[in-house]
Amino acid sequence: MRGYLGSSCGLPIFMFLCYDVLMILLDGRKLAQKIIADIKEEIGGMNRHLRLAVVVVGKDPVVQKFIAQKRKIAEQIGIDFRIYPFEEIVPARDLRMRVAEIVHEKKNTGVIIQLPLPPHIGKQHMLNAIIPQKDVDVLSARSIGNVIVGISPIISPVASAIKTLFGEYKIDYASKRIVIMGAGALVGKPVALWLLREKIGYSIVTEETPNAAELLMQADIVISGIGKLACITGVMLTQGVIAVDAGTSESNGKLAGDFDSDSVIQKASFFAPVPGGVGPVTVAMLFKNLVELGKRQK
């Protein structure tokens, strides 16, 4: 049975009654629009123009979809959006030199390197070319270090998105057993750094984790960023779990996540699905990071 209730935060809460569990679906699209509206109002009072620079290598159609989504929001907010395209065969050294030039271009408030990169290009080496003052994705070694020691004014957009979703839906995560599925650079590691910064305990599950099934079954909150279609099913989770899907893959040309939605909604108390959960809020938080860094630039 599906129902609809309003919420005090102005967001719709979609509720599913599955067996004896009342499940709330976290609506990232509505929350993202609220954040974007706030950003638009904020930059209206700023005395400088902001620009997001996006370095793109190759013409992967999935990557192009993500870029189009960012461009759409930039136009909606009133932020310049500049793409720097490169052929997939670009030499790594040439790309690194060009990225350094793009980073130091004064008009570029923030710079991102759209991942993934071709195999011949060292990902972290390339990301390290972005200085923390313009690293809206918080992926360079220096930016990560600043987060760890607590001096970064921003955190990873995906970690910020999950934190914001929890806040809007009044989910207490500080006292919960949290399991992060995967230790990738885009989800697992940034989420771990956020929790570490807040001094909140967690466990990370990778392919090498010997007691993965046990940890997963004991988790109050599961945050997944594996990127493998429907690899987590309801039978693997405890009743009442908070399931946060931040993994992305494709199924029949459509965006899909790590959780098998049909079975997970039978177990979860809260569920952030793909699409429509963490993803839209992550993009919104990327632009919020851009504004925050823009305030600090001269």
Side-chain angles (χ1 to χ4, degrees), residues 1 24 52 59 61 83 96 114 126 132 138 168 254 266 282:
M1 183 177 76
I24 298 177
L52 178 64
K59 298 178 180 179
I83 295 178
R96 169 79 186 217
Q114 189 67 52
M126 203 59 60
V138 197
E168 287 290 344
K254 296 181 179 180
Q266 312 298 329
T282 298

Side-chain angles (χ1 to χ4, degrees), residues 36-110:
I36 289 166
D38 290 343
I39 294 172
K40 186 175 182 178
E41 183 178 350
E42 184 175 6
I43 66 171
M46 294 180 68
N47 59 2
R48 64 164 297 176
H49 207 69
L50 305 179
R51 184 163 84 178
L52 178 64
V54 183
V55 175
V56 184
V57 182
K59 298 178 180 179
D60 186 302
V62 176
V63 169
Q64 296 303 317
K65 289 180 182 178
F66 286 127
I67 294 171
Q69 184 184 20
K70 293 184 179 78
R71 181 193 290 276
K72 181 179 179 181
I73 293 177
E75 292 173 351
Q76 183 179 346
I77 296 172
I79 290 173
D80 285 347
F81 191 83
R82 173 74 185 274
I83 295 178
Y84 294 85
F86 294 89
E87 295 295 328
E88 191 168 353
I89 59 173
V90 61
R93 182 178 178 181
D94 293 352
L95 181 62
R96 169 79 186 217
M97 292 175 62
R98 187 70 184 101
V99 168
E101 293 172 355
I102 293 167
V103 167
H104 289 93
E105 190 173 332
K106 191 172 180 61
K107 289 184 178 180
N108 292 331
T109 313

Side-chain angles (χ1 to χ4, degrees), residues 109-297:
T109 313
V111 181
I112 65 174
I113 297 175
Q114 189 67 52
L115 301 177
L117 292 171
H120 72 281
I121 297 176
K123 179 179 68 176
Q124 193 59 54
H125 179 65
M126 203 59 60
L127 292 170
N128 289 347
I130 305 177
I131 60 176
Q133 293 87 344
K134 295 190 177 184
D135 188 5
V136 291
D137 264 337
V138 197
L139 290 175
S140 74
R142 287 176 61 193
S143 296
I144 291 170
N146 288 346
V147 171
I148 292 173
V149 299
I151 62 174
S152 175
I154 60 175
I155 61 174
S156 154
V158 69
S160 186
I162 295 169
K163 179 178 180 178
T164 303
L165 274 167
F166 284 172
E168 287 290 344
Y169 285 90
K170 296 180 173 55
I171 297 173
D172 171 29
Y173 59 92
S175 61
K176 300 291 194 298
R177 290 169 294 186
I178 301 174
V179 168
I180 303 168
M181 301 296 291
L186 293 179
V187 179
K189 288 180 181 178
V191 170
L193 284 176
W194 155 52
L195 294 172
L196 181 65
R197 177 168 165 156
E198 295 199 7
K199 299 180 180 179
I200 295 173
Y202 60 88
S203 299
I204 293 183
V205 171
T206 66
E207 292 179 349
E208 289 75 35
T209 304
N211 59 335
E214 181 182 351
L215 287 172
L216 194 57
M217 183 59 74
Q218 293 175 350
D220 300 311
I221 299 175
V222 177
I223 301 170
S224 186
I226 300 171
K228 185 176 180 182
L229 179 64
C231 61
I232 303 173
T233 63
V235 297
M236 303 163 70
L237 305 171
T238 189
Q239 204 75 42
V241 68
I242 298 167
V244 179
D245 201 339
T248 55
S249 53
E250 276 199 289
S251 176
N252 298 320
K254 296 181 179 180
L255 199 64
D258 294 346
F259 289 92
D260 175 54
S261 298
D262 290 343
S263 62
V264 169
I265 63 173
Q266 312 298 329
K267 287 287 192 72
S269 56
F270 292 89
F271 180 38
V274 171
V278 174
V281 186
T282 298
V283 177
M285 299 312 293
L286 175 81
F287 285 97
K288 190 167 185 178
N289 281 355
L290 181 74
V291 173
E292 197 62 38
L293 294 181
K295 292 176 183 176
R296 289 167 166 74
Q297 294 174 19

